[in-house]
Amino acid sequence: MKKLILSIACTAMAMSATAESEFKYPMTREMHNPLFVEFPSPMYGTDSIGRMYTADASGHVWKDGRLYVYASHDLEPPQGCDRMDRYHVFSTDDLVNWTDHGEILSSYDVMHQSGWGIEGWMWAPDCAYNPKNGKYYFYFPHVKEALPWGGHEWRVGIAVSDRPDGDFHMAGYVEGAPSLIDPTVFVDDDGQAYIYNGGGGQCAGGKLRSDDWTRLDGEMQPMHGLVDFHEGTWVHKYNGKYYLSHSDNHGTDGNQLRYAMSDSPLGPWKDMGVYLYPTGCWTSHGSIVEYKGKWYALYHVNNPSGRDELRSVCIDPLEYNADGTIRVVRNWGTPRGEAPMMLSADKTLKINATDFNNGGEHYAYHKFNIEAPEVGKSGNEEYIKNVGRKEWMRYSVNAKETGKYDITFIVAAKVPDTKFHLSANGTSITGEITIDGVSEKFTNITVNGVTINADVEYLDLRCDNGRFDIKSIIITPVH
Ligand code: FUB
């Protein structure tokens, strides 16, 4: 079995090597959220080239002042997350022009340089710089050998280089680290390096030896005080406090990113809540980094592909309150009017579908293949037409207080089995709604007694299947 997998791996590598040799790295392009999709990427097991998909971004600013992003590489066509492979490193010095430095490590390299590991399964990585020896340490979770799903032993692999952007060579794995995914390394101001990993509800942390960042100094311990921990640990320091951020197990519209604070890098931690609402992608995984005096959140979405296993890294500003707490990342554009539309217990709110937020693709809507949602006209009324599967529009609203509402959608399905839902701050509040029949005529569909919380910032109208036109959403308080 192992032999077969190895031979498939070698064939795939040989074919993609042909394709990749046509690329000249480094390769720089101007880019906006979602990032890196304009770079080429080999398609799994063929010699054709597709779009680059990336996830699990770890951001670092190194000696040269550039912001580097170490990300997972979702290969197309995906097979769950099994085929993730061939890490690339990206960097920028202006957040507009991004450089792909090319592939820095693959599962093939691990197998051939270290003698363990299987094809694919190269999940969320991180990188750390040790100023004492001038070396960059690339940490990544990888499966030791092929076993049935669930039986896998995960190792924290390590590759080392004198450069941040390539020339990494395997230097073993972190012996004694628990069999968990998503390793990350935080280096404190005194030079002490701490390593963390975690997944499936468990998070562990410990020290690396000061004379050898490939080895633990003592045992890794469970991190206490985290709430609803799922995976994707990241630790940073701000104004003398330690922050551990991670994804949670939130269901609808995907996981959220939460954070906890502590006076010590190994906790105990105090959960401080959510800093990134669900984006519509099943997984969420982020990092927080200071760059040129400002702070940024890196995270991923699935908008460009519409698939949970083909993700794309994004970056947005992150802000702290005066007390050191983190504000929720504002990746929802700005209201079309002067202020968010107001929801209150004494008035019906009519949201015209065409009044989606300002801010464009990624912030205010997602539309495949064309620039913006299509606008149609019915009599004097404008409407949005052809909202397709995994497309969405976003509307800024405020609620005076938490309340119950009846919500009516004025819609027309264009194909059978059309389904959609409405979310508040990335959480579905209506559940999936099916539009019966296909018609040119608009019809009213009402969902009764929907709770909308006072903290609502925006509503997303998301198409789950099929295609529909929509005129408006009418939100009536229930008394
Ligand atoms: O990318 C594969 C896995 O999905 C990562 O290791 C997790 O953090 C999640 O993003």
Side-chain angles (χ1 to χ4, degrees):
M1 179 67 176
K2 193 169 174 190
K3 213 169 159 191
L4 176 68
I5 287 173
L6 276 169
S7 91
I8 294 169
C10 299
T11 316
M13 286 305 301
M15 290 172 98
S16 71
T18 324
E20 279 190 272
S21 58
E22 291 160 18
F23 308 149
K24 288 241 181 316
Y25 295 106
M27 187 185 289
T28 301
R29 305 253 164 99
E30 184 178 323
M31 251 170 239
H32 303 277
N33 282 331
L35 301 173
F36 313 142
V37 282
E38 283 138 47
F39 287 126
S41 167
M43 303 279 283
Y44 179 88
T46 76
D47 57 359
S48 56
I49 305 303
R51 167 193 261 180
M52 167 79 74
Y53 290 108
T54 52
D56 309 327
S58 294
H60 290 281
V61 179
W62 300 136
K63 293 184 291 187
D64 61 2
R66 290 177 75 83
L67 170 61
Y68 285 83
V69 174
Y70 297 81
S72 307
H73 188 179
D74 286 346
L75 281 176
E76 193 176 8
Q79 182 179 282
C81 290
D82 307 10
R83 287 176 176 165
M84 293 171 62
D85 209 334
R86 310 177 203 170
Y87 297 112
H88 282 224
V89 176
F90 309 90
S91 76
T92 183
D93 64 2
D94 59 7
L95 298 179
V96 174
N97 295 288
W98 288 88
T99 299
D100 178 355
H101 295 276
E103 180 182 315
I104 58 159
L105 195 77
S106 68
S107 61
Y108 180 90
D109 298 334
V110 183
M111 286 186 272
H112 284 79
Q113 292 174 26
S114 274
W116 59 273
I118 61 172
E119 186 199 2
W121 299 90
M122 304 287 272
W123 287 13
D126 193 15
C127 191
Y129 173 66
N130 187 345
K132 283 195 194 148
N133 60 8
K135 298 212 181 286
Y136 294 84
Y137 291 75
F138 184 70
Y139 300 88
F140 59 95
H142 189 45
V143 167
K144 182 187 165 216
E145 60 195 349
L147 287 171
W149 237 106
H152 289 149
E153 179 187 330
W154 285 93
R155 284 181 168 175
V156 177
I158 313 157
V160 180
S161 174
D162 294 326
R163 297 163 31 198
D165 58 344
D167 213 14
F168 282 92
H169 294 279
M170 282 300 293
Y173 65 98
V174 182
E175 283 186 53
S179 170
L180 297 170
I181 58 172
D182 298 358
T184 185
V185 168
F186 162 73
V187 183
D188 209 346
D189 303 331
D190 61 2
Q192 175 65 54
Y194 296 85
I195 185 164
Y196 308 80
N197 66 353
Q202 293 176 57
C203 181
K207 285 183 177 177
L208 288 174
R209 280 177 58 149
S210 55
D211 60 343
D212 185 354
W213 283 16
T214 69
R215 294 168 70 189
L216 292 177
D217 181 355
E219 285 186 11
M220 289 174 74
Q221 304 293 334
M223 295 292 92
H224 294 295
L226 305 177
V227 168
D228 202 20
F229 177 86
H230 184 48
E231 56 194 11
T233 311
W234 178 261
V235 175
H236 78 281
K237 193 174 186 180
Y238 172 77
N239 274 354
K241 297 275 184 203
Y242 299 88
Y243 293 71
L244 188 154
S245 43
H246 60 91
S247 71
D248 69 8
N249 296 291
H250 189 74
T252 67
D253 292 0
N255 299 157
Q256 310 177 106
L257 294 182
R258 303 183 71 90
Y259 74 103
M261 291 173 68
S262 178
D263 292 323
S264 145
L266 294 175
W269 300 95
K270 183 173 185 313
D271 178 71
M272 304 304 290
V274 171
Y275 79 93
L276 187 86
Y277 294 135
T279 64
C281 180
W282 177 47
T283 60
S284 196
H285 186 124
S287 62
I288 295 172
V289 62
E290 185 180 17
Y291 176 59
K292 295 189 178 171
K294 292 190 174 156
W295 287 83
Y296 293 90
L298 285 146
Y299 58 99
H300 62 235
V301 299
N302 66 0
N303 292 324
S305 70
R307 294 196 55 169
D308 287 322
E309 330 83 343
L310 293 175
R311 300 160 292 178
S312 299
V313 164
C314 300
I315 188 165
D316 269 306
L318 175 131
E319 293 175 345
Y320 296 87
N321 293 306
D323 63 0
T325 53
I326 297 177
R327 293 191 193 146
V328 176
V329 174
R330 295 189 70 88
N331 58 351
W332 54 80
T334 53
R336 188 155 289 251
E338 280 173 11
M341 290 173 268
M342 205 67 205
L343 273 172
S344 66
D346 49 15
K347 218 168 143 203
T348 292
L349 172 70
K350 181 178 175 205
I351 301 175
N352 295 320
T354 49
D355 285 342
F356 56 84
N357 282 1
N358 289 318
E361 170 68 32
H362 174 75
Y363 294 100
Y365 57 80
H366 169 61
K367 188 81 193 152
F368 290 109
N369 304 322
I370 55 174
E371 284 260 306
E374 296 169 77
V375 177
K377 214 160 186 192
S378 158
N380 287 333
E381 239 180 323
E382 287 191 327
Y383 64 93
I384 296 292
K385 59 181 192 184
N386 292 324
V387 186
R389 187 173 175 278
K390 295 286 177 192
E391 296 181 343
W392 50 265
M393 280 104 55
R394 182 164 285 167
Y395 305 89
S396 277
V397 292
N398 265 183
K400 271 192 186 159
E401 59 217 13
T402 298
K404 284 216 179 292
Y405 298 84
D406 294 337
I407 307 185
T408 300
F409 301 89
I410 304 185
V411 288
K414 312 305 288 288
V415 293
D417 203 28
T418 291
K419 298 174 198 291
F420 69 94
H421 70 273
L422 189 74
S423 293
N425 295 352
T427 297
S428 173
I429 51 173
T430 59
E432 201 168 71
I433 302 165
T434 302
I435 311 178
D436 286 331
V438 174
S439 165
E440 286 303 309
K441 286 199 184 145
F442 285 91
T443 181
N444 290 12
I445 298 181
T446 301
V447 184
N448 296 114
V450 174
T451 301
I452 299 183
N453 290 325
D455 68 358
V456 65
E457 299 267 11
Y458 60 88
L459 299 176
D460 283 343
L461 184 78
R462 290 180 174 267
C463 179
D464 299 315
N465 199 46
R467 191 157 41 88
F468 65 98
D469 295 346
I470 175 156
K471 269 191 186 167
S472 50
I473 305 166
I474 298 165
I475 307 181
T476 308
V478 178
H479 296 290

